Amino acid sequence: FHTVQELHPSMSRTPKAIPQSIRNLEGLLSHGALIWFVSILLSHLFFPPWPVAAFASVSMNCVYVLACILSRDGNHLLLELLVTLSLIVVTVYGYQTSSAMLLAGAIVGHGIWDLTKHTCCTGVPFFGWYLSFCAIFDVLYASVLFQFLL
């Protein structure tokens, strides 16, 4: 088996490929992701599940657009905006129609985008640890959420 870097060296997502402006924020990103994760889970104890899930879906989709803006990466901004806006539209429609399938589907869709970014090295360069964690969380959260919202 070959790694992505061996097959496509230009697609390597080593720390060098991640813009310096994003690398400088790695510590803040890791702490922010942990706070976001805990906040979303705790919010389900105090608030109705639909708005919490919709907020989680919309907020998780803004990370990569923000990364493009912070790194001044115009090359990936259009792609990241298209993916983000598509998933936000599905989220909002799922929320408005009380469709657990659409709301959970938008969250799974974000997890699929994370895996695609990680395995195919597409979109704005980002940390592999973040993409992996986010993809796992998205799929597990959407699965539990779907069962809970039915």
mmCIF file of all heavy atoms in Angstrom, residues 114-136:
data_model
loop_
_atom_site.group_PDB
_atom_site.id
_atom_site.type_symbol
_atom_site.label_atom_id
_atom_site.label_comp_id
_atom_site.label_asym_id
_atom_site.label_seq_id
_atom_site.Cartn_x
_atom_site.Cartn_y
_atom_site.Cartn_z
ATOM 1 N N ASP A 114 -15.256 16.186 5.867
ATOM 2 C CA ASP A 114 -14.020 16.059 6.651
ATOM 3 C C ASP A 114 -13.164 14.902 6.138
ATOM 4 O O ASP A 114 -11.950 15.050 5.961
ATOM 5 C CB ASP A 114 -14.335 15.813 8.134
ATOM 6 C CG ASP A 114 -14.928 17.023 8.822
ATOM 7 O OD1 ASP A 114 -14.549 18.158 8.476
ATOM 8 O OD2 ASP A 114 -15.771 16.825 9.705
ATOM 9 N N LEU A 115 -13.786 13.758 5.922
ATOM 10 C CA LEU A 115 -13.039 12.591 5.421
ATOM 11 C C LEU A 115 -12.481 12.844 4.029
ATOM 12 O O LEU A 115 -11.360 12.444 3.719
ATOM 13 C CB LEU A 115 -13.937 11.349 5.406
ATOM 14 C CG LEU A 115 -14.284 10.764 6.767
ATOM 15 C CD1 LEU A 115 -15.269 9.610 6.606
ATOM 16 C CD2 LEU A 115 -13.028 10.287 7.484
ATOM 17 N N THR A 116 -13.267 13.513 3.189
ATOM 18 C CA THR A 116 -12.805 13.833 1.838
ATOM 19 C C THR A 116 -11.609 14.774 1.895
ATOM 20 O O THR A 116 -10.624 14.591 1.176
ATOM 21 C CB THR A 116 -13.945 14.471 1.019
ATOM 22 O OG1 THR A 116 -15.052 13.570 0.993
ATOM 23 C CG2 THR A 116 -13.502 14.794 -0.397
ATOM 24 N N LYS A 117 -11.689 15.779 2.754
ATOM 25 C CA LYS A 117 -10.567 16.710 2.909
ATOM 26 C C LYS A 117 -9.319 15.966 3.381
ATOM 27 O O LYS A 117 -8.222 16.228 2.904
ATOM 28 C CB LYS A 117 -10.919 17.806 3.926
ATOM 29 C CG LYS A 117 -11.926 18.819 3.432
ATOM 30 C CD LYS A 117 -12.321 19.786 4.504
ATOM 31 C CE LYS A 117 -11.252 20.754 4.872
ATOM 32 N NZ LYS A 117 -10.796 21.650 3.816
ATOM 33 N N HIS A 118 -9.518 15.031 4.313
ATOM 34 C CA HIS A 118 -8.380 14.316 4.894
ATOM 35 C C HIS A 118 -7.773 13.312 3.917
ATOM 36 O O HIS A 118 -6.554 13.223 3.798
ATOM 37 C CB HIS A 118 -8.824 13.611 6.171
ATOM 38 C CG HIS A 118 -7.701 13.014 6.952
ATOM 39 N ND1 HIS A 118 -6.632 13.755 7.419
ATOM 40 C CD2 HIS A 118 -7.474 11.748 7.347
ATOM 41 C CE1 HIS A 118 -5.792 12.956 8.068
ATOM 42 N NE2 HIS A 118 -6.282 11.737 8.038
ATOM 43 N N THR A 119 -8.608 12.561 3.223
ATOM 44 C CA THR A 119 -8.084 11.498 2.360
ATOM 45 C C THR A 119 -7.706 11.980 0.963
ATOM 46 O O THR A 119 -6.764 11.466 0.374
ATOM 47 C CB THR A 119 -9.090 10.334 2.231
ATOM 48 O OG1 THR A 119 -10.330 10.843 1.732
ATOM 49 C CG2 THR A 119 -9.316 9.656 3.565
ATOM 50 N N CYS A 120 -8.433 12.949 0.436
ATOM 51 C CA CYS A 120 -8.168 13.422 -0.927
ATOM 52 C C CYS A 120 -7.402 14.734 -0.966
ATOM 53 O O CYS A 120 -7.076 15.223 -2.039
ATOM 54 C CB CYS A 120 -9.486 13.585 -1.692
ATOM 55 S SG CYS A 120 -10.409 12.064 -1.849
ATOM 56 N N CYS A 121 -7.146 15.300 0.208
ATOM 57 C CA CYS A 121 -6.412 16.568 0.311
ATOM 58 C C CYS A 121 -7.053 17.647 -0.554
ATOM 59 O O CYS A 121 -6.395 18.308 -1.351
ATOM 60 C CB CYS A 121 -4.944 16.371 -0.047
ATOM 61 S SG CYS A 121 -4.111 15.225 1.044
ATOM 62 N N THR A 122 -8.349 17.802 -0.418
ATOM 63 C CA THR A 122 -9.067 18.832 -1.157
ATOM 64 C C THR A 122 -9.491 19.942 -0.206
ATOM 65 O O THR A 122 -9.523 19.750 0.993
ATOM 66 C CB THR A 122 -10.284 18.219 -1.885
ATOM 67 O OG1 THR A 122 -10.822 19.186 -2.773
ATOM 68 C CG2 THR A 122 -11.343 17.760 -0.927
ATOM 69 N N GLY A 123 -9.813 21.080 -0.743
ATOM 70 C CA GLY A 123 -10.219 22.201 0.090
ATOM 71 C C GLY A 123 -9.033 22.833 0.790
ATOM 72 O O GLY A 123 -7.875 22.521 0.510
ATOM 73 N N VAL A 124 -9.339 23.755 1.700
ATOM 74 C CA VAL A 124 -8.286 24.464 2.419
ATOM 75 C C VAL A 124 -7.481 23.463 3.260
ATOM 76 O O VAL A 124 -8.048 22.577 3.891
ATOM 77 C CB VAL A 124 -8.884 25.593 3.309
ATOM 78 C CG1 VAL A 124 -9.758 25.055 4.416
ATOM 79 C CG2 VAL A 124 -7.801 26.479 3.869
ATOM 80 N N PRO A 125 -6.157 23.539 3.221
ATOM 81 C CA PRO A 125 -5.342 22.626 4.035
ATOM 82 C C PRO A 125 -5.677 22.784 5.523
ATOM 83 O O PRO A 125 -5.826 23.902 6.021
ATOM 84 C CB PRO A 125 -3.912 23.081 3.751
ATOM 85 C CG PRO A 125 -3.975 23.760 2.430
ATOM 86 C CD PRO A 125 -5.323 24.425 2.391
ATOM 87 N N PHE A 126 -5.810 21.652 6.193
ATOM 88 C CA PHE A 126 -6.180 21.679 7.601
ATOM 89 C C PHE A 126 -5.522 20.518 8.321
ATOM 90 O O PHE A 126 -4.995 19.602 7.705
ATOM 91 C CB PHE A 126 -7.712 21.598 7.742
ATOM 92 C CG PHE A 126 -8.257 22.487 8.821
ATOM 93 C CD1 PHE A 126 -8.243 23.860 8.688
ATOM 94 C CD2 PHE A 126 -8.773 21.948 9.977
ATOM 95 C CE1 PHE A 126 -8.731 24.685 9.688
ATOM 96 C CE2 PHE A 126 -9.268 22.756 10.981
ATOM 97 C CZ PHE A 126 -9.254 24.130 10.835
ATOM 98 N N PHE A 127 -5.577 20.529 9.647
ATOM 99 C CA PHE A 127 -4.911 19.522 10.470
ATOM 100 C C PHE A 127 -5.607 18.171 10.371
ATOM 101 O O PHE A 127 -6.821 18.073 10.538
ATOM 102 C CB PHE A 127 -4.891 19.973 11.934
ATOM 103 C CG PHE A 127 -4.217 21.292 12.139
ATOM 104 C CD1 PHE A 127 -4.960 22.447 12.317
ATOM 105 C CD2 PHE A 127 -2.839 21.378 12.120
ATOM 106 C CE1 PHE A 127 -4.332 23.676 12.494
ATOM 107 C CE2 PHE A 127 -2.198 22.597 12.288
ATOM 108 C CZ PHE A 127 -2.946 23.748 12.472
ATOM 109 N N GLY A 128 -4.833 17.124 10.144
ATOM 110 C CA GLY A 128 -5.382 15.779 10.044
ATOM 111 C C GLY A 128 -6.080 15.337 11.318
ATOM 112 O O GLY A 128 -7.123 14.684 11.268
ATOM 113 N N TRP A 129 -5.518 15.673 12.479
ATOM 114 C CA TRP A 129 -6.134 15.280 13.750
ATOM 115 C C TRP A 129 -7.510 15.908 13.889
ATOM 116 O O TRP A 129 -8.436 15.269 14.388
ATOM 117 C CB TRP A 129 -5.242 15.649 14.938
ATOM 118 C CG TRP A 129 -5.025 17.120 15.151
ATOM 119 C CD1 TRP A 129 -3.962 17.860 14.725
ATOM 120 C CD2 TRP A 129 -5.891 18.034 15.839
ATOM 121 N NE1 TRP A 129 -4.111 19.179 15.099
ATOM 122 C CE2 TRP A 129 -5.291 19.324 15.787
ATOM 123 C CE3 TRP A 129 -7.114 17.904 16.494
ATOM 124 C CZ2 TRP A 129 -5.868 20.455 16.353
ATOM 125 C CZ3 TRP A 129 -7.690 19.038 17.062
ATOM 126 C CH2 TRP A 129 -7.075 20.291 16.992
ATOM 127 N N TYR A 130 -7.658 17.143 13.443
ATOM 128 C CA TYR A 130 -8.938 17.832 13.553
ATOM 129 C C TYR A 130 -9.963 17.196 12.611
ATOM 130 O O TYR A 130 -11.106 16.937 13.002
ATOM 131 C CB TYR A 130 -8.763 19.320 13.217
ATOM 132 C CG TYR A 130 -10.033 20.109 13.357
ATOM 133 C CD1 TYR A 130 -10.357 20.727 14.555
ATOM 134 C CD2 TYR A 130 -10.919 20.242 12.288
ATOM 135 C CE1 TYR A 130 -11.532 21.458 14.696
ATOM 136 C CE2 TYR A 130 -12.093 20.959 12.415
ATOM 137 C CZ TYR A 130 -12.392 21.564 13.623
ATOM 138 O OH TYR A 130 -13.559 22.269 13.746
ATOM 139 N N LEU A 131 -9.554 16.946 11.376
ATOM 140 C CA LEU A 131 -10.465 16.356 10.396
ATOM 141 C C LEU A 131 -10.941 14.974 10.842
ATOM 142 O O LEU A 131 -12.128 14.647 10.721
ATOM 143 C CB LEU A 131 -9.781 16.263 9.032
ATOM 144 C CG LEU A 131 -9.389 17.599 8.394
ATOM 145 C CD1 LEU A 131 -8.494 17.374 7.191
ATOM 146 C CD2 LEU A 131 -10.626 18.391 8.021
ATOM 147 N N SER A 132 -10.029 14.174 11.374
ATOM 148 C CA SER A 132 -10.394 12.823 11.834
ATOM 149 C C SER A 132 -11.360 12.881 13.014
ATOM 150 O O SER A 132 -12.380 12.192 13.031
ATOM 151 C CB SER A 132 -9.143 12.046 12.235
ATOM 152 O OG SER A 132 -8.283 11.913 11.142
ATOM 153 N N PHE A 133 -11.028 13.693 14.011
ATOM 154 C CA PHE A 133 -11.894 13.830 15.182
ATOM 155 C C PHE A 133 -13.266 14.342 14.771
ATOM 156 O O PHE A 133 -14.298 13.839 15.223
ATOM 157 C CB PHE A 133 -11.256 14.778 16.207
ATOM 158 C CG PHE A 133 -12.180 15.110 17.346
ATOM 159 C CD1 PHE A 133 -12.389 14.212 18.376
ATOM 160 C CD2 PHE A 133 -12.864 16.321 17.374
ATOM 161 C CE1 PHE A 133 -13.259 14.517 19.421
ATOM 162 C CE2 PHE A 133 -13.727 16.637 18.414
ATOM 163 C CZ PHE A 133 -13.927 15.723 19.443
ATOM 164 N N CYS A 134 -13.289 15.353 13.929
ATOM 165 C CA CYS A 134 -14.547 15.961 13.505
ATOM 166 C C CYS A 134 -15.411 14.944 12.743
ATOM 167 O O CYS A 134 -16.622 14.857 12.955
ATOM 168 C CB CYS A 134 -14.264 17.185 12.639
ATOM 169 S SG CYS A 134 -15.691 18.250 12.385
ATOM 170 N N ALA A 135 -14.806 14.170 11.859
ATOM 171 C CA ALA A 135 -15.564 13.174 11.093
ATOM 172 C C ALA A 135 -16.179 12.126 12.015
ATOM 173 O O ALA A 135 -17.348 11.763 11.862
ATOM 174 C CB ALA A 135 -14.660 12.509 10.056
ATOM 175 N N ILE A 136 -15.412 11.660 12.984
ATOM 176 C CA ILE A 136 -15.926 10.658 13.928
ATOM 177 C C ILE A 136 -17.057 11.249 14.759
ATOM 178 O O ILE A 136 -18.121 10.633 14.923
ATOM 179 C CB ILE A 136 -14.788 10.133 14.831
ATOM 180 C CG1 ILE A 136 -13.808 9.314 13.999
ATOM 181 C CG2 ILE A 136 -15.335 9.326 16.004
ATOM 182 C CD1 ILE A 136 -12.500 9.014 14.699
#
